Amino acid sequence: MTENRQSRREAVSERKRELILDAARQVFAEEGLDGASLRAIAVRAGYTPAALYFHFDSKEAMYAEVLQTSLESLGAEVGSAVSHASSPHQKLKAAAMSFFQFYAANPRDLDLGFYLFRGGMKPAGLGQDRDLRLNAALEAALHPIAEAAVELGASRQQGNLLMVDCFAHAAGLLLLLHTGRIRMFGASAPELMETYVDSRVEQLGQGLRHADN
Amino acid sequence: MTENRQSRREAVSERKRELILDAARQVFAEEGLDGASLRAIAVRAGYTPAALYFHFDSKEAMYAEVLQTSLESLGAEVGSAVSHASSPHQKLKAAAMSFFQFYAANPRDLDLGFYLFRGGMKPAGLGQDRDLRLNAALEAALHPIAEAAVELGASRQQGNLLMVDCFAHAAGLLLLLHTGRIRMFGASAPELMETYVDSRVEQLGQGLRHADN
DNA sequence: TTTAGTAATTTAACGTTGTTAAAATTTTTG
DNA sequence: CAAAAATTTTAACAACGTTAAATTACTAAA
């Protein structure tokens, strides 16, 4: 009974946290980390700015929490896509494509992911454990790429390099597409996605076959 | 004579502008656009914050000017590297590599370039002409890649796609390297640079030969 | 059901940010 | 040397993230 009462209270508090996080998710995605104001988040959640500090340590901590769930849903989508593929080569293709497609379909999550590319999120102001959890979530999402590469005959290290390289390539491409800056060069999103999939993923397989001799 | 006096005045004013820009370059590179404070720039240049508004319209305008010269020196380096190469294939390789190496050797310029990846620099607050000049500088820097691809038998559009794709790939890789976040995956900078050059640039040439039939 | 205690929220304030207007200063011109 | 123009400073504004103290809402015990 005592436990029930306690867990009820905690459940209510948890519900309020989630409510605030929902508001934060929107504002962060729309305005970015620096652009989003704590007051805007508070208003959208029906709170006063200072009230957020009862539930969260800082603005960065809120951002980290939002980003964490974003990376986890990315990982879920990649894992699902890979599980539906049969051959290792198709797994590799599916992983690379689903990663790309996730952000193409969920541009808000791309906005959130921006911050992973910056030095801004320092473990000092964030808590090193939270930083490690973020990295773990990202690595989990990317892992199927390395796994598929290993199945195709690459070494563990080669697989990791491919994974990172592939991630960087797709991420850079997505960032360019998303900011719209790339239209100046006369390239469209579908064209670039095709370029990415065809001239990159296909060649990854070829490169691997060359590498393992 | 009248012209002489005028140009002397303008030259002095220009010198002060450059002095401020030098300070801004440092602070922006160290702290990023959002992190850099106008007061820090002013102090380093020996001014009061408000004085900067006589020489520049806004903080973003200062940033754009700093970024502009960064992109121009990138373009100069890429152009120089390409001019020393003989065959089209070597030109392509030299262009892709020099672009990569420029940012590896000048991490401060990478810091500056970050902002090109974000939606933050809106033409509204910046002046569309300045935005166009920034894009022109970037395109000029990348153009040798497309040019070399065309010499290798690609269409104009294929060349542009390769150029953008190559840029995105290198940029994403550099961002990951620079934030240090990539060490978690057990990959080092030299390894990734080798991966980029060998498995990407080489294959670009192969892909082109396949494409032009 | 009232009371004591704790959890949750607000109010008010601090220092810092980019930016602006007006005053003060330096520099050039007639 | 005086008038005019160019440059810099001082003072202030609203908005930001954050904190401490005061206040309200809620839960537990008597």
Side-chain angles (χ1 to χ4, degrees):
Chain A
M1 288 303 165
T2 313
E3 287 179 9
N4 252 344
R5 282 169 200 160
Q6 277 190 2
S7 62
R8 229 171 249 169
R9 284 223 315 230
E10 286 170 9
V12 168
S13 192
E14 190 62 33
R15 232 173 286 145
K16 290 180 181 175
R17 261 181 69 98
E18 294 296 335
L19 212 121
I20 295 173
L21 279 178
D22 279 341
R25 216 182 312 278
Q26 298 175 33
V27 178
F28 277 136
E30 287 169 8
E31 313 285 350
L33 172 58
D34 293 306
S37 93
L38 224 58
R39 274 140 178 111
I41 297 175
V43 164
R44 197 174 297 212
Y47 278 99
T48 264
L52 307 187
Y53 282 85
F54 178 78
H55 296 278
F56 302 93
D57 286 345
S58 69
K59 188 184 170 187
E60 280 207 334
M62 289 185 54
Y63 192 89
E65 208 142 335
V66 167
L67 182 53
Q68 178 85 28
T69 71
S70 166
L71 290 177
E72 281 166 2
S73 59
L74 166 67
E77 182 139 326
V78 174
S80 158
V82 167
S83 73
H84 289 107
S86 50
S87 72
H89 189 265
Q90 275 185 338
K91 277 187 193 172
L92 180 60
K93 193 168 182 173
M97 269 202 67
S98 72
F99 172 72
F100 189 93
Q101 283 176 323
F102 173 81
Y103 281 118
N106 305 47
R108 294 198 156 189
D109 289 86
L110 186 58
D111 276 314
L112 296 176
F114 265 125
Y115 207 53
L116 267 179
F117 281 90
R118 306 181 59 196
M121 185 138 48
K122 293 156 193 157
L126 188 64
Q128 198 166 4
D129 54 337
R130 185 156 276 153
D131 194 62
L132 288 178
R133 258 185 290 158
L134 275 174
N135 269 292
L138 177 58
E139 189 170 7
L142 296 176
H143 196 249
I145 297 179
E147 195 113 352
V150 169
E151 286 187 49
L152 272 170
S155 69
R156 184 104 261 166
Q157 179 160 351
Q158 283 176 325
N160 276 341
L161 283 174
L162 276 175
M163 178 184 80
V164 172
D165 196 55
C166 195
F167 168 62
H169 186 188
L173 213 45
L174 284 163
L175 289 175
L176 281 179
L177 282 171
H178 186 250
T179 57
R181 190 161 292 274
I182 217 56
R183 288 192 213 122
M184 300 268 173
F185 303 134
S188 70
E191 280 175 339
L192 279 171
M193 182 162 175
E194 204 179 324
T195 301
Y196 171 76
V197 172
D198 288 349
S199 89
R200 173 104 182 106
V201 180
E202 294 283 353
Q203 289 171 4
L204 270 182
Q206 293 183 10
L208 279 177
R209 293 196 197 93
H210 288 163
D212 65 351
N213 55 0
Chain B
M1 287 301 168
T2 314
E3 287 178 7
N4 253 344
R5 281 170 200 157
Q6 277 190 2
S7 62
R8 229 171 249 167
R9 283 223 317 231
E10 286 168 9
V12 168
S13 192
E14 189 62 32
R15 233 174 285 144
K16 291 179 181 174
R17 262 180 68 98
E18 294 295 335
L19 213 119
I20 296 173
L21 279 179
D22 279 341
R25 216 183 313 278
Q26 298 174 35
V27 179
F28 277 136
E30 288 169 9
E31 314 285 350
L33 171 58
D34 293 305
S37 92
L38 223 61
R39 274 144 177 107
I41 296 175
V43 164
R44 197 174 297 213
Y47 278 99
T48 265
L52 306 187
Y53 281 84
F54 178 78
H55 297 278
F56 303 92
D57 287 344
S58 68
K59 187 184 172 188
E60 280 208 333
M62 290 185 53
Y63 192 89
E65 208 142 335
V66 167
L67 181 53
Q68 178 86 27
T69 72
S70 166
L71 290 176
E72 280 166 3
S73 59
L74 165 66
E77 184 141 324
V78 174
S80 159
V82 167
S83 73
H84 289 107
S86 51
S87 73
H89 187 266
Q90 276 185 338
K91 278 186 192 172
L92 180 60
K93 190 168 182 172
M97 270 200 67
S98 71
F99 171 73
F100 190 93
Q101 283 176 322
F102 173 80
Y103 282 117
N106 304 47
R108 293 198 156 189
D109 289 85
L110 186 58
D111 276 316
L112 295 176
F114 266 124
Y115 207 53
L116 268 180
F117 281 90
R118 304 182 59 196
M121 185 137 50
K122 292 157 192 157
L126 189 64
Q128 200 168 1
D129 54 336
R130 185 156 276 153
D131 193 63
L132 288 178
R133 258 185 290 159
L134 275 174
N135 269 291
L138 177 58
E139 189 169 9
L142 297 176
H143 195 249
I145 298 180
E147 194 112 353
V150 167
E151 287 188 50
L152 273 170
S155 70
R156 185 103 261 165
Q157 178 160 352
Q158 282 176 326
N160 276 341
L161 282 174
L162 275 175
M163 178 184 80
V164 172
D165 196 53
C166 195
F167 167 63
H169 186 188
L173 214 45
L174 284 163
L175 289 175
L176 280 179
L177 283 170
H178 187 251
T179 57
R181 189 161 291 273
I182 216 57
R183 289 192 214 121
M184 301 268 173
F185 304 135
S188 70
E191 281 175 336
L192 279 171
M193 181 160 175
E194 205 180 323
T195 300
Y196 171 75
V197 172
D198 288 349
S199 89
R200 174 106 181 100
V201 180
E202 294 281 354
Q203 289 170 4
L204 270 183
Q206 293 182 9
L208 278 176
R209 292 194 199 93
H210 288 166
D212 66 349
N213 55 359

